[in-house]
């Protein structure tokens, strides 16, 4: 999971706990909590947050999709996502979508192909869920700034399944 930018800069040291893995509605998923520790300060601090990872054999584009708005911007700041070198802001023709979702990608052309009209409609239908997603080779990661209880983990897994169902089929073909 270190290939992902999300939460990489949280704390000086991190470890995962409460790891569960298995099929969820046909998709292999891993849910886990991460404990982080900040050791370089006068008083050591720590925190915990939850993540859900959907394993995907398809070559997903390196992309981060987060909700728009002030609070989501604070989460991006907390995760150090304003310094994701090599990622570019991607805007779409729909102003309403651009207002509600913030998309950055390593390859803008792939991002435009990946975020189709039906994907935008799915995301707009779920804009109140406020999931922060990162896609990369190997899968899709949802990460939070707090610990999720099991019903919320299930909601995240349902969202990921719905998200993957809205990816154009030709983009989910695996490499030979």
């Amino acid at each position: 999971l270190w290939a992902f930018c999300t939460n990489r800069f949280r704390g000086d040291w991190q470890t995962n706990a409460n790891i569960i893995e298995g099929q969820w509605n046909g998709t292999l998923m891993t849910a886990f909590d991460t404990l982080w520790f900040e050791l370089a300060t006068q008083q050591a601090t720590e925190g915990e947050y939850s993540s859900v990872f959907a394993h995907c054999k398809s070559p997903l584009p390196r992309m981060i999709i987060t909700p728009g708005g002030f609070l989501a911007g604070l989460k991006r700041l907390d995760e150090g996502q304003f310094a994701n070198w090599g990622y570019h802001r991607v805007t779409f023709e729909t102003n309403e979508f651009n207002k509600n979702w913030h998309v950055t990608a390593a390859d803008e052309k792939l991002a435009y192909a990946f975020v189709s009209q039906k994907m935008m409609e799915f995301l707009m239908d779920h804009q109140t869920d406020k999931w922060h997603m990162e896609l990369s080779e190997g899968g899709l990661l949802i990460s939070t700034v707090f610990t999720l209880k099991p019903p919320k983990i299930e909601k995240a897994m349902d969202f990921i399944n719905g998200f993957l169902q809205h990816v154009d089929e030709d983009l989910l073909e695996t490499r030979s």
Side-chain angles (χ1 to χ4, degrees):
L1 291 173
W2 285 106
F4 292 82
C5 297
T6 304
N7 300 318
R8 161 176 33 183
F9 302 109
R10 231 185 250 171
D12 296 320
W13 185 73
Q14 297 183 9
T15 187
N16 294 326
N18 304 324
I19 302 166
I20 58 170
E21 183 171 279
Q23 294 288 325
W24 185 262
N25 296 327
T27 302
L28 179 60
M29 301 222 189
T30 305
F32 54 96
D33 293 330
T34 300
L35 304 160
W36 61 266
F37 304 90
E38 188 74 52
L39 306 172
T41 60
Q42 288 263 17
Q43 183 176 345
T45 57
E46 62 184 66
E48 185 176 354
Y49 61 90
S50 297
S51 299
V52 177
F53 180 73
H55 302 258
C56 190
K57 295 177 184 174
S58 304
L60 299 177
R62 290 191 62 78
M63 185 166 42
I64 299 171
I65 304 173
T66 61
F70 179 72
L71 292 177
L74 288 178
K75 181 179 185 302
R76 287 192 300 274
L77 180 64
D78 179 54
E79 293 172 348
Q81 287 191 15
F82 287 108
N84 285 337
W85 306 115
Y87 281 74
H88 311 281
R89 175 78 159 107
V90 180
T91 56
F92 297 87
E93 291 179 10
T94 311
N95 288 333
E96 189 70 17
F97 180 82
N98 293 328
K99 185 177 102 178
N100 288 288
W101 291 97
H102 184 269
V103 178
T104 56
D107 184 328
E108 294 172 76
K109 185 177 177 182
L110 279 176
Y112 285 119
F114 191 84
V115 181
S116 65
Q117 184 62 41
K118 70 178 186 172
M119 174 67 71
M120 283 192 263
E121 290 169 6
F122 174 80
L123 290 169
M124 291 301 289
D125 288 345
H126 292 86
Q127 63 185 325
T128 58
D129 292 337
K130 303 290 185 194
W131 296 117
H132 294 246
M133 299 172 288
E134 184 172 356
L135 294 80
S136 189
E137 188 85 20
L140 184 154
L141 177 72
I142 284 182
S143 204
T144 64
V145 293
F146 46 83
T147 306
L148 298 176
K149 295 195 180 304
K152 195 75 168 175
I153 293 277
E154 290 178 358
K155 190 173 181 178
M157 292 189 296
D158 285 339
F159 175 83
I160 290 172
N161 267 328
F163 182 88
L164 290 173
Q165 289 172 7
H166 286 81
V167 176
D168 288 337
E169 202 59 39
D170 61 328
L171 296 175
L172 287 179
E173 294 175 2
T174 58
R175 293 183 184 149
S176 0

